[in-house]
Amino acid sequence: MARRTTSSSTGGSPGPRNRTPQPLPRRRRTFGDFVKALGAFAALLVLLVGVPGALVVAVGWPLPHGTPSLDWLQQEITVGTFIHVLTVIVWLAWAQFTACVLVEMKAALSGVGLPNRVPGAGASQLLARQLVAALLLVGAAAASFTPGLSQLGQSPDGSRHGSVAAAQQTPGTLFGQQRDQAAAGAAAVAEQAADAAAQAATQTDGGSSARHGDTKYYRIQPPEGRHHDSLWEIAQRHLGDGRRYKEIYELNKDRTQPDGSKLSEASLIRPGWIMEMPGDAHGGELVEMPEAKPGIPEQVQQQIHDYAKTGDHQQTGGQRAGGIGRQGEQGDRDTAHFRVPQQRAGGDQGQESDRASSGEAAPDARDGRSAPSASEESGSSFGLPEALVGAPLLAAGLLGALGRRRRQALWQSALGAVGGRRGMEPPVPTGSAADAQDALLVGADPEGVRLLDLSLRGLAAALAAESRPLPTVYAAWLGGNGDLHLQLAQPAGKPPTPWQLGQDQTFWMLARADAERYEEVDTAAPYPGLVSLGTMDDSRLLLNLEAVPGIVSLSGSAADRAGVFASVAAELATNGWSDRMTITLVGFGEDLTPLAPNRLRHLDDIEALVETMEAETRQRRGALGAAGHDSVLTGRTGPAQHTRWAPHLVLLAAEPSPVDALKLAELAADAGRLGIGYLVGTESGELPGAAWEMEVTREGKLLAPLLGLELDAQLLPVAQQRAVVELFVEADPEGGPDGPTDSPPFLIDISEQGRPAVYARLVGPYEIIGLETPEGDRSPLLHEALALLLLHREGVHPRVLSSALWPRGVTDDVRDALVERLRGWLGGDPDGTPRLGSDATGRLTLAKSVVSDLDVLRSLYHEATQGKGVDSRVVRGRLLTDALVLVRGPLLADRLEGRYGWLTHEIIDAQLPLLVADIGLALSAFHLEKDRAEKAIEALNASMNSAPADERLWNELLRATHATGNEDKVKRLAADLVSRSGARGLPPRTEALLDELLPTWRSGTAAVS
């Protein structure tokens, strides 16, 4: 999933970028604002002071003034008792509301970050937020108040500052102390003031029309058929990116339109309204100078002139029309300290505006998903686990490993490794497992993983070409714009092109645009021990566990530590930027081994760990000495790079005893150069030999004060851990308590009475029968959404739908609008039931009257092999022949380039060839029963068009060809098989079959070819 590019990614400057503060647009305060503030003050006074005062006067203290005796408990319950109980409840509610007010007031006045959530105070905190916002609306603090208020998000760049960490050369202080920021801030403010003065100097009395002459306007068009104009589509047409609709909204919000109304919500626009556009807007429908544009009615010209005088356009001039892009260009400047890369607003190539202080849904730091709303952050986003949604690299690794596991199960089933499972359908997850799978689909960033892997391997290859060793890397930062920053243990000179030096000699930086130009190279993964720990602002930290000069300790409560350990173990076991490794789990994680049995190893106790690691440490030291290497990094380049130097990462959740801790400290003292890393849990926070100390808090923060880190920790709680493991266990071809099933999840009536209302042909070119083609640009999107739903008859979560159709993110209102258009396009059945509905979990489902040829294909094969065809040979032959006729090519053969990227997460590309091969094999067997070898060969050849690599088809083709009695045909087929196999040679089963049917094939194929 492509991330946003900034000027830092174009090579303009080598270091991470930082925004210069920009002035916030000011909203004029009205008399209504003062009335609201006065009302809010009165309400707060009543709730904070009046309520406790009334309780004290009317009821008094409801609790006993002393320790109650047993006689007190045996007294009769009276009305007074109920009153006292209710009074206690009111006191608790008052205390909770007071806490909410204090939290919201602190966040509003500080203007830093989001307000903390008070436990169990959803409605109370919302009320407190609204009252405090109204109270502060007339004050200066309202400009940086918390999300969710109507006037927020007016600043394109926001006002938050990134966290600063200086690069130090000593191993014990990874990110060091912050440098002085006052000078940089003062210089930025001075430059801003100079720019404003220069702009004011150029504006003369006659310059107003010139200023407006560069401003572009758009007039909302009336609807055509079912097509209604929207800000998203306007931004898509004229700004190149629909997500920039927020810029149009901010330019026109609360300005009086020609009909006297105002734009208050981005989704509510009316025909005839005028929209001021950003300066880089383009397209023939725009108006720049109405009086110089022929063909524009005089009334419309006057409306545009009048509209240009509204709002704060006059005060800000060109700053609003094109200032977002200029802010990005002028505001990002290098500084001498390390500042976590932040998202830029507006920016190059039409990227979305900053959402730092906006409550609206927008793409988050993964540049692939919608930012979670307040309800989603609290864990109630349709039941999806936010721990997985918010971990893009972990989700991508798990999703990729799960796909490989399911494909392996399918092939084992097809090749007979598991008896009686031909045509097996993977189990459809339910309950928490289904939620976990949806969360993985929403959160996964496979493109980010791919670019990270290409970047690291490309760096290793470039250094090897220059005969330079790999530098020791302590950590990597993935910026929200896709740039990659490596923190080195010490300066290592100038990095190879296209890498650049960062803000100092210990940082190497690669822009995303340069990473996308990398091609795959045959180089060992240089830093397989990198693992995500959490996020700071919009950047994600990956710590290189195997490079730490000692033990990394993790303190905190047992449950919080377990969440960190599980996340680290799961990502290391499934990540896409390492070739091979060993992960030893002690004190936890026995249930995690299904994720990657070849990587994960579980030991029972610390004693076994110490014994194992003592032996491995001795072995690695000897191997390094024999090879002449000083560390595993020098051994990861050169001829032996693929055969050794795989990392071994130890995750010890149980706190070791003092004696065991000293033994581990001795082992870890030299572990950095040996490629061994230790992450050890501790209750006290003090661990002998700990080079770096971290703590996870109950609020989900990962703290390392000596390293200058305060992250939002990446966690995998127990519930999500179990759900993910369940997905892998169900995908195991040997597992599953209920045993395998050959029944597809969705069977249809294949008789004439079951004729569908809507029929989609997916196997081959995409066609839809029974619906009119949608109008305009929406047609491809609606077709893609329908295809996704047809491939998932069990239902599709709305967030999965949006992440599939808009990999770079989209807001909820745009997604909901598409769902409504899709519902209207599909229409309803004769009984009035909509053909697009929702199940009890909120997932979108299709009615049975909407089917695809893939549904028919599966149903025909099932009916032929397990239904009516079992007892009737004639019926079986007819059903199998009808099924094979449906195969017109690969799935969605003519799909548009750049769309349907979600198919990479599916296993339909493995299922469909196997299903077609099963049909061909069954039809071949049907014909061979009556000695119709030529018909069998014809059926097998038809199946090979869709499954050319299926060994079963080739073997059956050999048998059918041998049944014709033509030995020359068998020899030619054998020669063809040998030539196709290449250097790998024929599979053992095929060789054995040739030995049986054509004993002389080894000597005869060369002559035939």
Side-chain angles (χ1 to χ4, degrees):
M1 284 159 287
R3 286 185 175 83
R4 289 165 284 191
T5 58
T6 67
S7 59
S8 64
S9 61
T10 62
S13 178
R17 312 292 265 175
N18 172 33
R19 293 188 191 88
T20 302
Q22 300 291 335
L24 292 171
R26 298 212 177 257
R27 177 183 182 274
R28 295 187 180 88
R29 303 178 182 87
T30 64
F31 177 74
D33 293 335
F34 287 97
V35 172
K36 290 179 182 178
L38 183 60
F41 176 76
L44 288 172
L45 190 65
V46 170
L47 293 173
L48 297 180
V49 180
V51 170
L55 290 174
V56 171
V57 172
V59 182
W61 186 247
L63 299 179
H65 294 285
T67 303
S69 62
L70 291 177
D71 294 338
W72 181 81
L73 296 176
Q74 297 173 355
Q75 291 179 0
E76 181 182 359
I77 297 177
T78 65
V79 175
T81 305
F82 280 108
I83 293 177
H84 285 173
V85 171
L86 292 175
T87 304
V88 170
I89 295 175
V90 174
W91 273 110
L92 293 176
W94 172 84
Q96 185 188 58
F97 179 76
T98 303
C100 293
V101 173
L102 294 177
V103 167
E104 296 294 331
M105 186 68 76
K106 177 180 179 297
L109 294 177
S110 65
V112 178
L114 298 174
N116 295 325
R117 291 193 297 272
V118 178
S124 297
Q125 189 161 6
L126 179 60
L127 175 61
R129 181 176 304 172
Q130 293 172 344
L131 291 176
V132 173
L135 181 62
L136 297 182
L137 191 61
V138 296
S144 59
F145 198 46
T146 59
L149 303 176
S150 61
Q151 296 305 320
L152 293 182
Q154 296 192 30
S155 169
D157 279 321
S159 57
R160 65 178 181 183
H161 301 282
S163 300
V164 180
Q168 303 294 330
Q169 297 180 10
T170 57
T173 55
L174 176 60
F175 302 110
Q177 303 296 325
Q178 298 183 358
R179 299 206 182 160
D180 187 12
Q181 303 178 48
V189 172
E191 182 177 349
Q192 232 177 317
D195 291 343
Q199 182 179 358
T202 60
Q203 292 178 347
T204 63
D205 294 339
S208 177
S209 62
R211 185 172 64 247
H212 291 304
D214 294 333
T215 304
K216 301 178 179 67
Y217 297 89
Y218 176 87
R219 193 166 185 262
I220 304 299
Q221 299 300 312
E224 297 180 5
R226 295 183 179 179
H227 179 88
H228 292 260
D229 228 343
S230 68
L231 292 186
W232 177 281
E233 294 186 345
I234 295 171
Q236 185 72 41
R237 290 197 303 268
H238 300 295
L239 299 177
D241 191 333
R243 292 166 298 169
R244 293 186 64 188
Y245 79 94
K246 292 183 181 179
E247 298 176 34
I248 306 175
Y249 174 71
E250 291 298 334
L251 285 172
N252 298 276
K253 183 174 64 174
D254 293 334
R255 295 171 65 177
T256 302
Q257 293 290 337
D259 61 358
S261 56
K262 297 181 179 181
L263 175 65
S264 58
E265 294 184 25
S267 59
L268 299 178
I269 60 176
R270 300 178 185 177
W273 280 8
I274 308 297
M275 293 290 119
E276 181 181 337
M277 302 291 290
D280 60 340
H282 53 82
E285 300 172 337
L286 299 178
V287 177
E288 294 184 8
M289 297 182 64
E291 56 271 26
K293 187 88 169 180
I296 298 180
E298 184 175 346
Q299 180 183 3
V300 175
Q301 295 184 27
Q302 186 61 42
Q303 288 176 353
I304 295 177
H305 277 295
D306 295 340
Y307 185 78
K309 301 176 183 178
T310 63
D312 35 357
H313 176 86
Q314 298 286 58
Q315 284 73 25
T316 59
Q319 182 177 344
R320 288 195 65 179
I324 295 179
R326 289 194 294 274
Q327 286 177 8
E329 295 166 6
Q330 298 176 2
D332 286 351
R333 59 188 70 255
D334 293 331
T335 56
H337 52 264
F338 180 66
R339 184 178 292 276
V340 180
Q342 297 196 13
Q343 303 290 349
R344 296 200 323 152
D348 300 336
Q349 301 178 8
Q351 303 303 336
E352 62 269 33
S353 58
D354 195 326
R355 64 193 187 288
S357 60
S358 172
E360 299 180 36
D364 64 8
R366 295 186 307 279
D367 194 33
R369 309 293 174 221
S370 298
S373 64
S375 64
E376 292 165 356
E377 289 178 356
S378 64
S380 60
S381 64
F382 296 96
L384 292 191
E386 292 302 326
L388 296 173
V389 173
L393 304 184
L394 170 62
L398 290 171
L399 199 59
L402 182 60
R404 291 189 295 272
R405 181 69 54 84
R406 288 174 172 170
R407 285 176 172 83
Q408 180 185 10
L410 285 173
W411 280 107
Q412 288 184 2
S413 169
L415 297 177
V418 181
R421 298 181 70 172
R422 290 170 50 139
M424 181 201 73
E425 290 287 333
V428 177
T430 58
S432 59
D435 292 337
Q437 178 174 271
D438 286 343
L440 293 178
L441 290 168
V442 172
D445 183 9
E447 180 66 9
V449 171
R450 186 184 73 86
L451 290 180
L452 175 61
D453 184 43
L454 288 178
S455 301
L456 296 177
R457 294 181 194 267
L459 175 63
L463 290 172
E466 298 177 4
S467 300
R468 296 172 58 184
L470 288 167
T472 300
V473 170
Y474 280 155
W477 287 95
L478 275 176
N481 57 4
D483 294 350
L484 174 62
H485 303 259
L486 297 182
Q487 173 124 26
L488 313 184
Q490 56 188 3
K494 183 179 179 181
T497 306
W499 289 77
Q500 307 172 38
L501 282 175
Q503 62 274 18
D504 60 33
Q505 295 291 322
T506 60
F507 279 91
W508 286 2
M509 189 274 288
L510 179 68
R512 180 185 176 89
D514 295 325
E516 291 173 340
R517 288 193 284 268
Y518 265 125
E519 297 180 355
E520 294 186 7
V521 292
D522 186 21
T523 301
Y527 304 112
L530 286 169
V531 64
S532 304
L533 291 185
T535 57
M536 181 185 295
D537 294 331
D538 289 334
S539 296
R540 184 169 301 275
L541 171 69
L542 289 85
L543 185 67
N544 190 6
L545 282 179
E546 67 166 337
V548 178
I551 293 174
V552 179
S553 70
L554 178 66
S555 61
S557 68
D560 295 325
R561 294 202 318 267
V564 175
F565 274 106
S567 172
V568 170
E571 184 168 301
L572 289 173
T574 61
N575 72 33
W577 54 88
S578 61
D579 299 318
R580 53 195 179 89
M581 64 171 61
T582 300
I583 307 161
T584 298
L585 312 179
V586 185
F588 83 106
E590 188 172 6
D591 296 336
L592 290 175
T593 49
L595 302 184
N598 59 334
R599 284 192 181 185
L600 290 170
R601 176 177 64 178
H602 183 268
L603 297 180
D604 295 330
D605 51 39
I606 300 178
E607 182 180 353
L609 172 67
V610 172
E611 181 180 352
T612 300
M613 297 314 299
E614 284 178 344
E616 180 160 348
T617 300
R618 289 194 301 269
Q619 188 258 346
R620 290 204 174 207
R621 282 174 178 163
L624 277 177
H629 296 301
D630 58 349
S631 76
V632 296
L633 290 179
T634 55
R636 285 191 183 143
T637 56
Q641 58 179 308
H642 293 291
T643 58
R644 59 182 72 185
W645 321 123
H648 186 166
L649 304 175
V650 176
L651 307 181
L652 174 57
E655 183 170 13
S657 66
V659 176
D660 291 332
L662 289 176
K663 292 181 180 178
L664 289 175
E666 293 176 1
L667 292 172
D670 196 29
R673 74 182 190 93
L674 300 178
I676 303 175
Y678 293 86
L679 178 62
V680 181
T682 173
E683 292 282 353
S684 61
E686 298 180 359
L687 194 67
W692 297 342
E693 297 178 348
M694 297 186 297
E695 175 190 2
V696 57
T697 68
R698 294 188 180 275
E699 292 75 25
K701 294 290 185 179
L702 191 67
L703 309 178
L706 296 180
L707 306 179
L709 291 178
E710 181 176 347
L711 307 172
D712 292 323
Q714 179 172 297
L715 305 172
L716 186 59
V718 174
Q720 280 77 64
Q721 176 183 330
R722 291 173 179 169
V724 168
V725 171
E726 182 181 346
L727 288 173
F728 280 80
V729 171
E730 289 180 347
D732 191 335
E734 303 285 354
D738 300 329
T741 175
D742 289 340
S743 299
F746 180 72
L747 292 174
I748 65 171
D749 183 1
I750 56 176
S751 66
E752 185 65 26
Q753 291 74 21
R755 182 181 295 273
V758 178
Y759 181 62
R761 305 179 73 181
L762 305 179
V763 185
Y766 191 2
E767 300 176 15
I768 297 179
I769 301 173
L771 291 177
E772 294 182 0
T773 302
E775 301 174 356
D777 298 335
R778 294 191 181 98
S779 181
L781 207 59
L782 291 174
H783 278 71
E784 185 175 358
L786 180 57
L788 177 62
L789 290 167
L790 285 168
L791 293 177
H792 290 275
R793 304 301 309 217
E794 72 277 9
V796 177
H797 195 287
R799 292 186 67 187
V800 174
L801 178 69
S802 64
S803 65
L805 299 181
W806 292 282
R808 299 176 65 187
V810 75
T811 55
D812 291 346
D813 56 342
V814 175
R815 177 199 65 201
D816 295 341
L818 176 80
V819 171
E820 289 305 315
R821 293 190 189 106
L822 182 61
R823 183 175 286 113
W825 180 44
L826 292 175
D829 289 330
D831 61 358
T833 304
R835 294 183 181 133
L836 178 62
S838 301
D839 62 12
T841 64
R843 288 175 171 82
L844 301 171
T845 58
L846 290 174
K848 292 185 178 181
S849 59
V850 182
V851 303
S852 70
D853 54 356
L854 187 59
D855 299 325
V856 178
L857 194 68
R858 288 167 168 163
S859 299
L860 286 170
Y861 177 69
H862 179 267
E863 193 68 20
T865 56
Q866 300 181 44
K868 297 177 181 179
V870 175
D871 300 323
S872 173
R873 185 179 184 280
V874 174
V875 172
R876 182 169 71 256
R878 176 174 57 80
L879 292 173
L880 291 173
T881 302
D882 291 345
L884 199 56
V885 169
L886 290 176
V887 181
R888 301 174 299 126
L891 187 76
L892 298 168
D894 58 351
R895 59 179 176 263
L896 296 175
E897 184 178 357
R899 302 215 63 89
Y900 297 88
W902 47 271
L903 280 174
T904 59
H905 300 317
E906 307 282 339
I907 63 168
I908 186 63
D909 59 336
Q911 285 179 281
L912 182 58
L914 287 177
L915 177 59
V916 173
D918 284 342
I919 295 172
L921 291 170
L923 189 56
S924 171
F926 170 81
H927 288 303
L928 288 176
E929 288 177 3
K930 295 295 184 179
D931 297 327
R932 294 197 292 262
E934 294 296 339
K935 288 287 187 181
I937 292 173
E938 182 180 342
L940 292 170
N941 285 328
S943 298
M944 282 185 181
N945 291 331
S946 295
D950 198 310
E951 180 188 353
R952 300 173 301 158
L953 290 176
W954 286 103
N955 292 347
E956 196 65 21
L957 185 60
L958 278 171
R959 293 189 181 95
T961 305
H962 181 267
T964 63
N966 190 330
E967 187 173 343
D968 290 338
K969 284 186 177 182
V970 178
K971 289 181 179 179
R972 285 194 293 270
L973 181 58
D976 188 20
L977 280 172
V978 171
S979 63
R980 285 173 178 269
S981 62
R984 295 177 300 175
L986 292 173
R989 295 188 185 187
T990 304
E991 281 195 6
L993 182 60
L994 280 173
D995 288 336
E996 175 189 345
L997 302 179
L998 190 66
T1000 61
W1001 70 274
R1002 287 184 172 85
S1003 60
T1005 51
V1008 172
S1009 58

